[in-house]
Amino acid sequence: GELLHLGPPVDTGLSLHGGDLLLIAGGTGLAPLRAIVEQVAADPDGRRVTVVAGSRDVAGLYDAVTLDRLQQANDWLTVVPAFSHDPLAEPRERGDALTVAIDHLHGEQQVYVCGPPAMLAGSRLRLLAAGVPADRIHLPERIPWR
């Protein structure tokens, strides 16, 4: 009974800005952020990149093999998993992706968030409350289907 729209891939509205990056992904929201990591890898310029990848538990972590491979190949990249429902996770890895990511804020990072609508809904306010200036918060543009 759901309405499904099919079409070609479209731009998420995320574009790369200068400086260090904090990329916060929920579930498959990692895909466009991984593209940013790959863009930095193609033309390394000394920036540091931290990716916080959120999942309910270890088994549900999207594209974990690629994340591990990227981190092993690039010393400027740090990957931090965030597990919202895994009691066996390390203490600094417990919580939703945004909560874990706020512990990794530093300096003048550009902060990108991509994930399900519920995650995006309050992310701007939480980041502003954590001290991130509005011009350094980047969210995907939502595509109006109706």
Side-chain angles (χ1 to χ4, degrees):
E2 296 281 331
L3 180 60
L4 175 65
H5 295 274
L6 299 176
V10 293
D11 185 7
T12 62
L14 294 174
S15 58
L16 187 58
H17 295 269
D20 289 351
L21 306 175
L22 175 60
L23 309 178
I24 307 167
T28 58
L30 177 63
L33 297 182
R34 190 185 71 219
I36 290 176
V37 171
E38 290 169 349
Q39 185 178 351
V40 173
D43 187 22
D45 57 4
R47 75 176 79 209
R48 307 285 308 161
V49 178
T50 301
V51 176
V52 177
S55 174
R56 291 180 62 81
D57 53 34
V58 173
L61 188 59
Y62 176 73
D63 211 6
V65 172
T66 301
L67 284 178
D68 187 53
R69 189 171 58 239
L70 282 168
Q71 183 172 239
Q72 296 300 320
N74 300 288
D75 63 352
W76 46 261
L77 176 64
T78 302
V79 176
V80 179
F83 303 114
S84 60
H85 292 81
D86 192 335
L88 300 178
E90 296 293 324
R92 290 186 47 94
E93 298 175 349
R94 278 190 213 135
D96 63 86
L98 201 54
T99 299
V100 172
I102 287 172
D103 287 339
H104 293 274
L105 282 172
H106 63 80
E108 300 292 316
Q109 289 169 311
Q110 298 288 332
V111 180
Y112 292 77
V113 184
C114 198
M119 176 184 170
L120 296 175
S123 60
R124 180 176 299 279
L125 289 176
R126 286 185 66 192
L127 289 166
L128 289 169
V132 180
D135 64 334
R136 288 192 289 143
I137 300 171
H138 308 282
L139 303 172
E141 296 174 8
R142 286 299 182 207
I143 303 159
W145 289 109
R146 295 176 196 195

